Amino acid sequence: MTTETQKLWKDWRVHATVLAIVLLSETIGTHQIPLGPGVILLLPMLYAVIIGIALFFTPLVKEKQSKSAESLVFISVTLLIAKFGVQAGPALPLLIEAGPALLLQEIGNLGTIFLALPVAVLLGLKRESIGMTHSIGREPNVALITDKYGFSSPEGRGVMAVYIFGTVFGAIFMGLISGLLATVTPIHPLSFAMATGIGSGSMAAAALGPLVTAFPEMKDQIIAFSGASNLATSVTGLYVSIFIALPLTEKLYGWMTRRKSKNMKSNVGV
């Protein structure tokens, strides 16, 4: 363990703040908001994220503590992934039975390109939109864009913007949307469990909570599929980004901007 890591663990203010947030969040408990045929599940993790963000803007949390907490998050997520792996073991027959669906679910992440890129171009964003929309912008994608275009490039600024936004609001969004969709739509809960595996431990955990709460009788299966899916995405996601997502985003961006430019010229001519 390095000296820097030891200093992080010895920062009692970080641990005290986290403990206070956890106790307050657990005291608030789980609440349900009916919405048509479905329900929005408000879980303690959602409160913890919101309280943590709010405390960041108060004198109680200084920049030093926030940087320490950022580093310690990765350790917590590592333990979470290890738990997923242990629980996925006994469910291996079920995972094998899922077949190609589990391995090919990574292709679903390409939806960020087809849904978000046209909106970004329409809003007038330039090459920043390539970094923003080629993926959900987690650590491997930040590394890929930085290596290919440079950290200070428009693409680099784009992927960092999405990374920061996802870090702040991703868990909140995933926690709300998973419980609502799982209770509104007739899609099988295990499909939603696989959908939680987007390559982010914190987002997967936030999305997993409402599913387990909504379908407690399938708890072990849901956790197993979610863990296996998140692991598969972490392993294959970078290669999908390198060989499919990023080249596809580049081509679509070029086509959309040329089309937009032609439309603007024709309108000026008229």
Side-chain angles (χ1 to χ4, degrees):
M1 184 179 289
T2 63
T3 305
E4 188 65 27
T5 305
Q6 290 177 347
K7 288 181 180 179
L8 294 177
W9 281 107
K10 291 179 180 179
D11 192 341
W12 64 269
R13 294 177 183 83
V14 174
H15 300 295
T17 303
V18 170
L19 178 61
I21 292 174
V22 170
L23 291 176
L24 179 57
S25 301
E26 290 294 337
T27 301
I28 297 173
T30 302
H31 296 277
Q32 298 183 0
I33 301 178
L35 190 64
V39 62
I40 294 178
L41 294 170
L42 304 180
L43 300 178
M45 183 174 181
L46 177 64
Y47 313 139
V49 173
I50 295 175
I51 295 170
I53 293 173
L55 286 178
F56 177 77
F57 297 101
T58 69
L60 296 175
V61 178
K62 298 180 180 178
E63 186 177 355
K64 179 182 177 182
Q65 279 78 52
S66 65
K67 288 184 177 179
S68 298
E70 182 180 347
S71 301
L72 293 174
V73 163
F74 294 104
I75 299 176
S76 303
V77 171
T78 300
L79 296 174
L80 179 67
I81 296 299
K83 179 185 177 183
F84 283 168
V86 170
Q87 291 182 310
L92 276 177
L94 265 177
L95 299 177
I96 294 173
E97 187 179 337
L102 189 59
L103 295 176
L104 296 177
Q105 57 94 29
E106 173 61 28
I107 297 176
N109 289 338
L110 298 179
T112 59
I113 303 170
F114 299 107
L115 295 176
L117 182 59
V119 176
V121 173
L122 187 64
L123 291 175
L125 293 173
K126 303 301 182 183
R127 291 191 64 85
E128 290 87 351
S129 60
I130 295 176
M132 294 175 72
T133 63
H134 84 284
S135 68
I136 63 166
R138 304 323 297 159
E139 289 83 358
N141 306 106
V142 172
L144 172 62
I145 295 296
T146 302
D147 181 66
K148 185 173 177 63
Y149 302 102
F151 186 78
S152 300
S153 65
E155 296 86 354
R157 292 194 296 270
V159 74
M160 280 306 301
V162 171
Y163 176 77
I164 294 171
F165 189 88
T167 300
V168 177
F169 298 106
I172 298 175
F173 173 79
M174 292 294 291
L176 292 174
I177 200 68
S178 68
L180 175 63
L181 292 179
T183 52
V184 169
T185 64
I187 299 175
H188 198 281
L190 293 184
S191 297
F192 285 105
M194 285 192 287
T196 63
I198 58 176
S200 169
S202 58
M203 292 187 196
L208 184 63
L211 292 178
V212 171
T213 303
F215 306 98
E217 71 282 358
M218 301 181 66
K219 175 181 177 181
D220 293 338
Q221 296 177 23
I222 290 174
I223 292 176
F225 270 78
S226 176
S229 174
N230 203 51
L231 180 60
T233 298
S234 300
V235 172
T236 63
L238 181 59
Y239 298 103
V240 171
S241 294
I242 293 173
F243 296 111
I244 301 177
L246 192 54
L248 180 60
T249 307
E250 282 271 14
K251 287 187 177 297
L252 286 177
Y253 172 79
W255 178 77
M256 289 179 185
T257 50
R258 286 194 299 270
R259 185 180 177 87
K260 184 179 180 182
S261 179
K262 287 180 181 179
N263 290 337
M264 291 178 64
K265 288 181 181 179
S266 62
N267 290 334
V268 171
V270 172

